[in-house]
Amino acid sequence: MLATNCGGSDGNSGITANPALGWAVDELVRYGGTGVLAETPETYGAEHLLVRRAISEEVARKLLDRFDWWKQYCQGIEKMNDNPSPGNKAGGITTILEKSLGAVAKGGTTPLMDVVLYGERITSRGLVFMDTPGHDPVSITGLVAGGCNVICFTTGRGSVFGSGRYPRSTRHQLRDLPPHGRGHGPRLRVVLDGVPLETVGRQIFEEVVSVASGKKTKSELAGVGEEEFAPWTIGPVM
């Protein structure tokens, strides 16, 4: 059961790392697994793309209800159409709507089978959406509580989320960073250099299977990420 998150996005994320991960999610679903999309505030503005893929009207309504809830949750405190992450802005993304269009690509192309609340146990096979904040440690904590056992974190600018798993990057420049500070999986900007998306997606899929089968990630080998347990606290968390 694969959790997907993205952070520190840049102008390449929506056409490289995220759709490549989406290809891997499609492949996982084809073999009977589950891929979980999350981070509700960071899919705002692109929710219609998921509604179209809902397996039923009930599932579509569950998704839209979560966005309605978030609008109330943020009222007078935050704006859903704001872009609260400095890393996203530094990467060249001007609005959360731009990030959202890239973020939903992590979910691949298969039907949306269910929508669950934060930390709720996931029982469906296929693509599932979990309602979580966009803040990665908080989002991942809910996804793990829901049953996810591997995490795939895509990043455009090299931001690292360990959690004993591995992030992936869209940039060549990260090769110069120390081992614990670069993408812990393949650098995915190769898509821009003409490598077929399917080739890179296959690489991600095989890496996910290897990690699920016991392969140690660089985060685990470096002993980083185990402290990134962050439940959703009372108060506004985007």
Side-chain angles (χ1 to χ4, degrees), residues 43-124:
T43 54
Y44 177 72
E47 63 270 22
H48 62 286
L49 301 176
L50 296 173
V51 167
R52 292 173 184 171
R53 293 163 54 189
I55 195 69
S56 67
E57 184 176 345
E58 178 187 5
V59 171
R61 185 69 261 169
K62 287 169 71 175
L63 180 66
L64 293 173
D65 284 347
R66 300 322 304 155
F67 283 92
D68 289 342
W69 181 91
W70 270 92
K71 291 172 185 176
Q72 294 296 318
Y73 176 69
C74 298
Q75 194 170 27
I77 303 171
E78 293 276 5
K79 294 181 179 179
M80 282 288 284
N81 63 351
D82 196 10
N83 183 26
S85 168
N88 294 338
K89 293 178 180 178
I93 293 177
T94 61
T95 70
I96 197 63
L97 305 179
E98 292 175 353
K99 178 175 172 61
S100 295
L101 289 170
V104 297
K106 300 193 305 294
T109 61
T110 62
L112 178 64
M113 304 302 293
D114 200 6
V115 176
V116 299
L117 299 177
Y118 182 81
E120 183 180 349
R121 179 62 60 179
I122 299 165
T123 57
S124 300

Side-chain angles (χ1 to χ4, degrees), residues 75-213:
Q75 194 170 27
I77 303 171
E78 293 276 5
K79 294 181 179 179
M80 282 288 284
N81 63 351
D82 196 10
N83 183 26
S85 168
N88 294 338
K89 293 178 180 178
I93 293 177
T94 61
T95 70
I96 197 63
L97 305 179
E98 292 175 353
K99 178 175 172 61
S100 295
L101 289 170
V104 297
K106 300 193 305 294
T109 61
T110 62
L112 178 64
M113 304 302 293
D114 200 6
V115 176
V116 299
L117 299 177
Y118 182 81
E120 183 180 349
R121 179 62 60 179
I122 299 165
T123 57
S124 300
R125 296 289 183 94
L127 178 66
V128 174
F129 186 93
M130 178 180 283
D131 180 26
T132 77
H135 186 56
D136 299 305
V138 178
S139 179
I140 291 296
T141 300
L143 289 162
V144 171
C148 294
N149 55 350
V150 179
I151 301 159
C152 220
F153 175 70
T154 57
T155 174
R157 304 185 60 250
S159 55
V160 170
F161 182 81
S163 189
R165 301 298 186 262
Y166 58 103
R168 303 186 174 280
S169 173
T170 64
R171 295 166 65 97
H172 285 315
Q173 292 90 324
L174 298 179
R175 63 167 66 98
D176 297 325
L177 295 177
H180 62 280
R182 64 169 174 249
H184 293 192
R187 287 180 291 275
L188 304 180
R189 194 170 183 264
V190 293
V191 174
L192 294 181
D193 298 332
V195 177
L197 190 67
E198 179 179 349
T199 300
V200 183
R202 170 66 61 181
Q203 184 182 8
I204 296 174
F205 174 75
E206 291 177 353
E207 184 76 0
V208 167
V209 172
S210 294
V211 171
S213 302

